[in-house]
Amino acid sequence: MTRIAICAPSRSITAEDAARVTALAADYPGLELEFHPQCFLEHGHFAGTDQQRLEALIECANDPGFDAVWFARGGYGSNRIAEDAIARFDSAAEGKVFLGYSDGGYLLAGLYAHKIGRPVHCSMPADVRRDGGEAAVRRVLAFVAGDNAGLEPGLDHRPTVAFNLITLAMLCGTPLMPELAGHVVLVEEVSEHDYAVDRLFFHVTAHLGGIAGLRLGQVSDVPVNEVEFGQSAEEIARYWCARHAISYLGRADIGHDADNTIVPFGLARSFAG
């Protein structure tokens, strides 16, 4: 039996979210999910206070009875607790898989930088709300059950990481930022103006010297600006990659949608590998 602890380092989910995901997990008899009560707390924007979120994350990571920790939802907040949490993770955390994306990227990055566990970019329980969200959740459940069909198809022999673009930009220069030389870096973005995407690429590409290349995922729900920017997201990515002599390697199917594929940090392998 593979046991997955679910906590919410950022924003909360609802009991209905948890019930829908638990019902889907019933189709995978080798899996057992446990939602930490902290997932349902609310404290302003967050799923409980910083201390409540911190303690729940540490409890899940350090419990030897769980094989994986799945972040319930993104939305902003994990960066406020990531360094303190990682400093308190013990040997039990080292053998776990950590699952999430978007704001969860702060934790995935910090774990990868400190060589703790196996960070994996993938959809989260709250994605069950999206159009087609059940398929997104099933993709992760199947991966944990040993099915690699949901992996990003462009993964190869090179180590790879995947981030929300603004999350990666905020990581640069912090203790959570891993060394990415030789890596293929996948990025995606949601709900940012084209000029903001350009500004993020200006910053991020200046910190990615030595990477093996960059691939662009979905850039979705772009707000309409009063003046059209004049370049597409891909043109922006190509422009800034060229400015910093970074190989632009094409598109990737990651993003804030139900088709978000799975990207294990480092070299691609199965959940049990």
Side-chain angles (χ1 to χ4, degrees):
M1 180 67 69
T2 299
R3 302 187 68 230
I4 307 170
I6 301 171
C7 60
S10 307
R11 297 192 66 190
S12 62
I13 60 171
T14 66
E16 181 182 6
D17 294 332
R20 290 181 64 188
V21 173
T22 299
L24 294 175
D27 292 336
Y28 304 83
L31 304 184
E32 180 181 326
L33 308 186
E34 184 170 318
F35 285 84
H36 194 288
Q38 173 269 328
C39 290
F40 313 113
L41 299 180
E42 294 186 10
H43 182 79
H45 175 90
F46 306 107
T49 64
D50 285 355
Q51 193 64 35
Q52 288 171 319
R53 301 195 323 281
L54 174 67
E55 296 300 332
L57 175 57
I58 292 169
E59 181 182 335
C60 292
N62 289 349
D63 188 333
F66 291 108
D67 304 286
V69 177
W70 198 6
F71 308 141
R73 183 181 178 183
Y76 181 71
S78 71
N79 61 308
R80 294 169 63 103
I81 64 171
E83 288 183 57
D84 290 341
I86 289 170
R88 290 174 55 189
F89 285 177
D90 64 20
S91 58
E94 295 176 2
K96 285 186 173 57
V97 174
F98 292 85
L99 305 154
Y101 79 114
S102 191
D103 185 76
Y106 291 108
L107 285 163
L108 299 181
L111 290 161
Y112 196 56
H114 289 82
K115 298 179 171 57
I116 298 173
R118 292 175 51 203
V120 177
H121 161 104
C122 63
S123 297
M124 297 177 287
D127 285 307
V128 75
R129 304 174 183 176
R130 297 186 184 278
D131 290 341
E134 289 193 0
V137 171
R138 285 188 180 277
R139 188 176 304 116
V140 179
L141 294 171
F143 172 72
V144 177
D147 183 352
N148 285 343
L151 290 178
E152 163 58 38
L155 302 180
D156 57 22
H157 63 282
R158 294 170 292 188
T160 303
V161 294
F163 292 103
N164 172 246
L165 183 59
I166 196 168
T167 300
L168 180 57
M170 295 301 101
L171 281 164
C172 293
T174 74
L176 296 171
M177 181 69 173
E179 172 56 56
L180 296 180
H183 286 66
V184 176
V185 178
L186 279 55
V187 294
E188 54 86 17
E189 191 50 87
V190 64
S191 301
E192 294 286 352
H193 289 87
D194 287 329
Y195 68 81
V197 172
D198 186 77
R199 181 169 57 206
L200 291 169
F201 268 109
F202 155 74
H203 180 71
V204 162
T205 52
H207 289 81
L208 294 181
I211 67 170
L214 182 142
R215 293 174 60 202
L216 179 66
Q218 302 301 319
V219 178
S220 55
D221 296 333
V222 178
V224 177
N225 195 44
E226 59 184 25
V227 177
E228 186 173 346
F229 185 69
Q231 284 187 316
S232 68
E234 184 163 18
E235 288 170 333
I236 291 168
R238 287 181 178 275
Y239 173 84
W240 287 107
C241 283
R243 284 280 296 265
H244 291 279
I246 293 170
S247 297
Y248 178 74
L249 302 176
R251 303 305 297 261
D253 201 0
I254 63 168
H256 281 65
D257 59 22
D259 294 326
N260 185 30
T261 54
I262 296 170
V263 182
F265 278 36
L267 297 175
R269 50 183 174 159
S270 66
F271 178 88

